Amino acid sequence: LGTAFYANAESVNVFAAASMKTALDDAAKLWKTQSGKDIVATYGSTGTLAKQIAEAAPADIFISADLAWMDDVAKKNLIKPESRKNLVGNTLVLVGAAGSDVKIELAKDSNFAAVLGSEKLAVGDVKSVPAGKYAKAALENLGLWASVEPNLVMQENVRSALALVARGEAKLGIVYGSDAVAESKVQVVANFPEASHAPIVYPAALIAASTNPDAQPFLDFLFSKEAQLIFKANGFTLLE
């Protein structure tokens, strides 16, 4: 009886993309109210989390900010493939400080570089951070990459890029729509056209090594109507 009790009392360890923090914290609070059980969330760059999972970090659930990193973890047989589902979507936006009067049209032959001048543009690392990879793809598709690349300040995750803009250390930043909702010190200056980058999708899955009996119920809860409404309120897009 003792061991069964302790197994049931074990917190669910969720490794989730940094951009998930505000919404997932809200969802975890609701789950705690309903179930009496705790969620311990570890937030970071999706690529960093994927590497930690590969090194046997004690995770029960992985929520990636793109399909590529989840595919990477899946190829290493580190998730339960039948548990994998796409949780939510997101948009890509350009943010400036709250009250900013910056006017930019995100299109080919845009005035982006002129508006930036010598100021900084904060982004997630374009090689490893999903938000950074989406940002680079969108800028390349719009023909703007070469003109703004010298202004880039790359960060280890999207929330760090957001923080630079919120603190006034970067004039503009490329983040998710949900990040803009989460931070009152920034505002959306322009939206990237959906066609300028691959769809932003957050897959979630159970970790293969997890034996936590509460992991699947919490994962199911994230797909419930009430949890999905929390994601929507936090600026994520709901998937059909």
Side-chain angles (χ1 to χ4, degrees):
L1 178 71
T3 51
F5 173 77
Y6 284 114
N8 288 340
E10 192 185 340
S11 299
V12 177
N13 288 316
V14 182
F15 278 36
S19 49
M20 277 260 139
K21 180 170 174 32
T22 315
L24 197 60
D25 283 351
D26 287 351
K29 278 182 202 142
L30 181 59
W31 168 255
K32 167 89 172 175
T33 305
Q34 292 183 355
S35 69
K37 292 172 178 174
D38 286 309
I39 300 303
V40 175
T42 299
Y43 298 107
S45 165
T46 298
T48 302
L49 297 175
K51 286 168 188 154
Q52 289 171 351
I53 289 167
E55 290 160 6
D60 297 308
I61 294 170
F62 178 40
I63 307 174
S64 168
D66 70 358
L67 300 173
W69 278 115
M70 184 63 84
D71 291 344
D72 184 69
V73 170
K75 280 187 198 118
K76 294 171 179 159
N77 299 315
L78 296 169
I79 61 165
K80 297 177 182 173
E82 69 286 351
S83 72
R84 177 178 173 171
K85 278 170 76 180
N86 292 336
L87 180 61
V88 286
N90 218 328
T91 55
L92 196 66
V93 299
L94 184 68
V95 292
S100 167
D101 56 1
V102 171
K103 298 274 189 295
I104 292 178
E105 190 191 352
L106 291 172
K108 290 199 191 311
D109 306 319
S110 149
N111 60 336
F112 198 173
V115 169
L116 267 175
S118 60
E119 302 265 8
K120 294 182 175 125
L121 173 62
V123 293
D125 189 315
V126 300
K127 290 189 180 69
S128 60
V129 177
K133 293 196 276 186
Y134 291 124
K136 183 179 182 185
L139 291 169
E140 284 181 335
N141 281 328
L142 296 172
L144 303 173
W145 172 255
S147 64
V148 301
E149 189 184 1
N151 302 72
L152 293 186
V153 184
M154 290 196 258
Q155 297 294 298
E156 63 182 357
N157 64 61
V158 71
R159 284 295 173 94
S160 298
L162 179 71
L164 283 187
V165 182
R167 293 199 301 264
E169 291 170 29
K171 181 173 185 176
L172 297 168
I174 301 175
V175 298
Y176 297 122
S178 61
D179 296 313
V181 172
E183 176 53 77
S184 61
K185 292 179 183 163
V186 307
Q187 71 182 41
V188 174
V189 171
N191 294 285
F192 281 89
E194 266 184 49
S196 67
H197 56 83
I200 299 171
V201 178
Y202 289 68
L206 295 177
I207 299 300
S210 170
T211 55
N212 191 321
D214 294 322
Q216 182 69 59
F218 180 66
L219 187 58
D220 292 342
F221 166 76
L222 293 179
F223 287 90
S224 70
K225 190 170 182 184
E226 51 201 342
Q228 289 282 303
L229 287 174
I230 289 173
F231 286 116
K232 188 177 180 184
N234 279 283
F236 288 86
T237 54
L238 302 189
L239 303 172
E240 292 305 317

